[in-house]
Amino acid sequence: MRTEWVSAVRALGGDGDVAADLAARYAEPHRRYHDTAHVLAVLRDSAALAAELRLPPEERAVLTLAAAAHDVVYDGRPGEDERRSAEWAVSWLRRAGVSAGHVSRVEELVLATLTHAAPDGDLTAQALLDADLAILAAGEATYDRYRTAVRAEYAPISTELWRAGRSAVLADLLAREPLYATAAARARWEAAAKVNLARELAWLRTP
């Protein structure tokens, strides 16, 4: 994570290393899914999509920074977490001397994870959001560990409320046609993700 962050900052003309803060935040004990393994997976998958999409170097750099920062604040408060993560990125990138335009672009990308809807034609945002949802296409055992980990992050919520809220999220994802915005992600993950989503939704709706 440190290597990717430093390289991306330097590619945008800045100079700053936030490795200690990044590592500490993603290692917070209350995280069960949105942890170091998750952010490394998003970095990996977004970079692979960026290569397939042939994004220009500056867009690849801002994508890397957004991927690293997108869950840097995670307290189980949807909306607030994304906004605070964007604020964290803005603060550190300004200190690193990254230009205002690039800082705003990273902020925009992190905030796109709030609605998980990318603007039409914004391939960089699409790559980030698709990579963030790559876990949905995991093998059955890995997917089940993922859903268990996410549930653990919301342990204070009652089973009834959790089932209702999670079902609504899954139903929305399952209804998306397509689920993934980029052709590269659809080819990699669409079919498997739809199977996993349908399976978990059926389980949640079972009395």
Side-chain angles (χ1 to χ4, degrees):
M1 189 169 12
R2 174 185 181 274
T3 300
E4 289 91 343
W5 179 274
V6 171
S7 295
V9 167
R10 289 177 178 169
L12 298 177
D15 184 16
D17 186 349
V18 297
D21 197 31
L22 273 173
R25 287 174 178 270
Y26 281 106
E28 290 167 342
H30 67 276
R31 296 176 184 248
R32 293 294 182 270
Y33 170 67
H34 295 87
D35 57 8
T36 303
H38 168 64
V39 72
L40 290 176
V42 174
L43 282 164
R44 179 197 67 220
D45 291 330
S46 61
L49 292 176
E52 292 194 45
L53 294 168
R54 298 183 181 179
L55 295 182
E58 287 190 353
E59 283 297 285
R60 294 192 193 199
V62 296
L63 174 59
T64 295
L65 296 173
H70 82 286
D71 279 329
V72 72
V73 176
Y74 192 81
D75 294 318
R77 297 174 181 173
E80 183 179 343
D81 289 341
E82 290 85 353
R83 293 185 184 93
R84 290 179 61 201
S85 292
E87 290 169 0
W88 181 96
V90 168
S91 176
W92 277 106
L93 292 174
R94 283 176 177 166
R95 282 193 246 179
V98 174
S99 71
H102 288 131
V103 172
S104 293
R105 180 64 169 142
V106 173
E107 179 183 26
E108 178 183 62
L109 291 171
V110 174
L111 290 175
T113 66
L114 200 159
T115 60
H116 247 273
D120 290 341
D122 189 339
L123 294 179
T124 307
Q126 291 173 2
L128 174 62
L129 300 183
D130 282 354
D132 197 26
L133 295 182
I135 185 62
L136 300 179
E140 186 172 320
T142 300
Y143 184 89
D144 287 345
R145 286 193 295 272
Y146 147 73
R147 67 174 177 81
T148 299
V150 172
R151 176 65 179 106
E153 290 180 336
Y154 289 88
I157 296 177
S158 70
T159 298
E160 182 180 2
L161 288 177
W162 170 256
R163 283 178 175 263
R166 179 72 174 171
S167 293
V169 170
L170 297 184
D172 176 70
L173 290 171
L174 197 55
R176 294 188 186 185
E177 292 295 346
L179 172 58
Y180 294 99
T182 64
R186 289 195 294 274
R188 287 169 177 250
W189 303 314
E190 186 93 7
K194 290 294 183 77
V195 170
N196 280 330
L197 289 169
R199 184 170 61 87
E200 183 182 358
L201 188 58
W203 178 79
L204 287 167
R205 289 174 172 173
T206 301

